[in-house]
Amino acid sequence: MLKFYKDRIAINILAHDADNLIELNKIANGYMAVGIMAQHYAKIEDAIKVANEFKKYSAISVGLGDGSASQWERCLEIAKATNPDHVNQTYPTAGYAKGFLTATGYTGTIVNALVKPSDEIGKVVISTGPLSEKNIETLVDVSTAAAMIKEAKIDSVKFFPMHGTEKLDHMIAMAKAASKAGIDIFEPTGGINEDNIETIVKACLDAGCKKVMPHIYSSIVEKETGKTKSESVKKIFEILSKIV
């Protein structure tokens, strides 16, 4: 089960292997999910094997990989075989994924819907699926996007790509709309690191989000070893513990 610190914050990070994960989870006191990206595996069976191994030590989040829409179905196949705590999906496929997993019996799995910032604050791109992304971008008002996510009984909004704080005002508009619509979880993603995480997460909380789960991936991964840096996770939690 995915745990949130003070019922407000959890982080979504990567782990190189089980040893790396065990160390990170201890530092985070369990308030984290480890990402297993479908795009990173040539064979679904390999991803399933890793996911089931990682489940022994942490909540797991089955993801697309860099928001890749082409991976939505492979992501769902991995989820079907592992009963994960969290699943990433595109906006058009999220409702199907939620219904599929619920029918499978995975009623506790959090499913998000990916929306992208547009060039206009207050409007987001919802054409994030494998077919729709190849057409003209579909922009809708953030309140409409949030209402449709709520209608589909999706648990969370994934806002990607943030590009650090470049899209902060766009994110705040979406976060406020999600909160108003009664969507409890918000997931800012893309370019988040130790230097900007406080600004980003605090903005989500100030916008009324009940729970925030920032995705912090490559920025805290050691290039030489591929391991997520324990000192970075420690620093991040020191920062986050001060704002809730």
Side-chain angles (χ1 to χ4, degrees), residues 117-138:
S118 69
D119 293 330
E120 183 180 349
I121 294 173
K123 292 188 182 296
V124 289
V125 178
I126 61 170
S127 50
T128 59
L131 299 178
S132 57
E133 70 172 1
K134 297 174 184 177
N135 291 278
I136 297 172
E137 288 187 336
T138 302

Side-chain angles (χ1 to χ4, degrees), residues 42-63:
K43 296 180 180 179
I44 288 177
E45 294 78 11
D46 292 337
I48 291 170
K49 182 178 179 181
V50 172
N52 281 326
E53 173 68 12
F54 282 6
K55 270 187 71 174
K56 299 174 184 177
Y57 311 108
S58 168
I60 62 170
S61 170
V62 180

Side-chain angles (χ1 to χ4, degrees), residues 15-22 24 54 226-227:
H16 181 262
D17 51 32
D19 289 339
N20 189 206
L21 173 56
I22 290 168
L24 299 173
F54 282 6
K227 293 182 178 181

Side-chain angles (χ1 to χ4, degrees), residues 7-224:
D7 209 31
R8 303 300 304 277
I9 294 175
I11 59 172
N12 196 316
I13 59 177
L14 301 174
H16 181 262
D17 51 32
D19 289 339
N20 189 206
L21 173 56
I22 290 168
E23 181 182 22
L24 299 173
N25 196 46
K26 184 176 180 181
I27 293 168
N29 292 311
Y31 299 111
M32 58 165 275
V34 61
I36 293 93
M37 305 294 111
Q39 192 178 53
H40 294 176
Y41 298 90
K43 296 180 180 179
I44 288 177
E45 294 78 11
D46 292 337
I48 291 170
K49 182 178 179 181
V50 172
N52 281 326
E53 173 68 12
F54 282 6
K55 270 187 71 174
K56 299 174 184 177
Y57 311 108
S58 168
I60 62 170
S61 170
V62 180
L64 305 169
D66 199 31
S68 176
S70 65
Q71 298 296 313
W72 79 270
E73 204 162 5
R74 296 180 81 240
C75 175
L76 197 53
E77 283 296 312
I78 297 165
K80 178 185 176 183
T82 58
N83 189 9
D85 304 274
H86 179 268
V87 170
N88 294 266
Q89 282 291 306
T90 71
Y91 186 97
T93 62
Y96 174 87
K98 181 66 178 180
F100 176 83
L101 292 172
T102 300
T104 304
Y106 300 164
T107 55
T109 302
I110 295 168
V111 177
N112 68 27
L114 187 158
V115 299
K116 293 183 178 180
S118 69
D119 293 330
E120 183 180 349
I121 294 173
K123 292 188 182 296
V124 289
V125 178
I126 61 170
S127 50
T128 59
L131 299 178
S132 57
E133 70 172 1
K134 297 174 184 177
N135 291 278
I136 297 172
E137 288 187 336
T138 302
L139 272 62
V140 301
D141 188 89
V142 290
S143 60
T144 301
M148 292 171 72
I149 290 171
K150 184 67 175 180
E151 285 173 337
K153 299 187 182 300
I154 304 304
D155 308 289
S156 178
V157 177
K158 181 175 180 178
F159 192 83
F160 170 85
M162 283 285 299
H163 297 301
T165 56
E166 184 181 318
K167 295 293 184 177
L168 187 66
D169 289 340
H170 298 72
M171 181 206 76
I172 291 171
M174 186 68 240
K176 286 180 177 179
S179 174
K180 188 176 181 180
I183 301 167
D184 288 344
I185 307 171
F186 196 84
E187 303 175 41
T189 310
I192 301 176
N193 56 38
E194 298 155 75
D195 297 325
N196 58 31
I197 191 167
E198 179 175 1
T199 298
I200 292 168
V201 173
K202 190 175 186 301
C204 292
L205 294 173
D206 289 346
C209 298
K210 289 185 177 180
K211 297 180 180 180
V212 184
M213 184 168 66
H215 293 224
I216 317 150
Y217 287 162
S218 59
S219 66
I220 59 172
V221 172
E222 195 174 54
K223 292 181 180 178
E224 294 76 16

